[in-house]
Amino acid sequence: MGKGCITATKYFLFLFNLFFFIFGVVLFGFGLWILLDNQSFITVLQESSSSLKVGSYILVGVGSLSVLMGILGCFGAIYEIRCVLGLYFTCLLVILIAQMTAAVLMYFQRDLLKNEMSIIVNKILVDYAGGNKTTEQAWDYLQRTIHCCGWTGPGNWTENTLIRNSSRVLYPCSCRNMSLPGVGLEEKGLCESLSSEWPVYQTGCISSVESWLFNNYGVIIGICAGVAAIEFLGMLLSICLCQSIQQVDYTKVPAY
């Protein structure tokens, strides 16, 4: 490989790792947001699911590793250190394999994950009291934001302890359909209905989430494929640069 090609490869690898560093920072920040924000849907799940909570920490870990990988790649490319580039290539290969393995496992375990989420959400709805618990606030936020009610529909709320044992007709305030007249302004807790029919949205939240995923599956797949392609490009550039760096043949060095 000519000197000009080596220089171009070096700086392409540097720019690649600069973007990889930024990607790691974004991923790390997103992981922290999931763990600290009390109004995200994942908060509802991770309060009751240890596997999803562990997944959030893994996301933070992957973001931290991506930042480290970006620094390592930039350092190896600029100073042309073969051992650093080799370590960078190996770590990037491990990350790519881990991502592909996780994607395959999530695909084949999707029914189990869906069932686990259903159990978690139904338990939240049964025990809901309209207090300041993080899971209840997050679920209220979700219903208000995507205009849904319950997991599969408003009927899930009929199992709620307070609604079932009350002599009044109560319904979750965050489910209320704003297009219907005569509806209160409460955003959380349980509201009293003036009739036997609840003025709520009729769509379950699982349908809204699945609809969003279906409408955006092209973008999601495109992002995943783009990340994998960028990682593969980084591996290719690093191995090319590593092989192009001249090694010193110590057997030709005169002995003193």
Side-chain angles (χ1 to χ4, degrees), residues 2 12-13 28 42-43 62 65 83 137 180 216 222 240-241 252:
F12 268 122
L13 185 60
F28 179 78
I42 195 69
T43 302
V62 170
L65 183 60
C83 62
Q137 291 179 350
L180 298 178
N216 295 276
C240 289
L241 183 59
K252 297 181 180 180

Side-chain angles (χ1 to χ4, degrees), residues 3-233:
K3 186 176 179 180
C5 292
I6 294 175
T7 303
T9 302
K10 180 172 68 174
Y11 286 105
F12 268 122
L13 185 60
F14 175 81
L15 290 175
F16 165 79
N17 282 284
L18 182 61
F19 286 115
F20 200 69
F21 174 82
I22 296 173
F23 169 75
V25 171
V26 172
L27 196 63
F28 179 78
F30 182 67
L32 284 182
W33 172 73
I34 289 177
L35 289 173
L36 300 178
D37 182 35
N38 62 357
Q39 290 188 328
S40 61
F41 176 59
I42 195 69
T43 302
V44 177
L45 303 177
Q46 72 177 2
E47 285 290 327
S48 304
S49 174
S50 58
S51 60
L52 289 173
K53 187 176 295 185
V54 170
S56 301
Y57 285 109
I58 290 176
L59 192 62
V60 173
V62 170
S64 303
L65 183 60
S66 299
V67 171
L68 179 61
M69 291 294 299
I71 296 174
L72 192 65
C74 289
F75 182 78
I78 292 298
Y79 293 99
E80 299 184 3
I81 304 175
R82 291 186 61 140
C83 62
V84 174
L85 291 172
L87 178 62
Y88 171 79
F89 172 84
T90 304
C91 292
L92 204 57
L93 179 62
V94 170
I95 291 176
L96 184 60
I97 294 174
Q99 289 174 339
M100 294 175 63
T101 304
V104 171
L105 288 176
M106 288 180 62
Y107 177 78
F108 287 105
Q109 297 292 325
R110 63 188 185 280
D111 292 334
L112 180 62
L113 181 61
K114 184 177 178 180
N115 183 60
E116 182 182 359
M117 288 193 297
S118 178
I119 294 173
I120 293 170
V121 172
N122 285 330
K123 185 178 184 300
I124 293 173
L125 299 186
V126 169
D127 299 333
Y128 182 90
N132 293 321
K133 292 178 60 177
T134 302
T135 52
E136 294 182 356
Q137 291 179 350
W139 187 252
D140 284 333
Y141 176 79
L142 178 70
Q143 292 187 139
R144 290 196 309 269
T145 303
I146 63 177
H147 299 165
C148 62
C149 190
W151 184 238
T152 59
N156 297 136
W157 280 100
T158 58
E159 299 298 321
N160 177 267
T161 304
L162 295 178
I163 293 177
R164 191 174 65 246
N165 296 329
S166 176
S167 58
R168 299 177 297 167
V169 180
L170 300 178
Y171 69 93
C173 301
S174 58
C175 278
R176 75 187 189 283
N177 190 336
M178 297 298 295
S179 64
L180 298 178
V183 179
L185 299 177
E186 294 293 330
E187 293 188 345
K188 65 178 183 178
L190 299 176
C191 297
E192 184 176 0
S193 176
L194 300 179
S195 64
S196 59
E197 295 292 329
W198 291 358
V200 298
Y201 296 107
Q202 299 301 312
T203 304
C205 291
I206 186 175
S207 300
S208 298
V209 171
E210 288 179 341
S211 176
W212 182 88
L213 291 174
F214 179 78
N215 292 333
N216 295 276
Y217 78 95
V219 176
I220 296 172
I221 293 176
I223 291 175
C224 294
V227 170
I230 290 173
E231 291 174 344
F232 181 77
L233 177 62

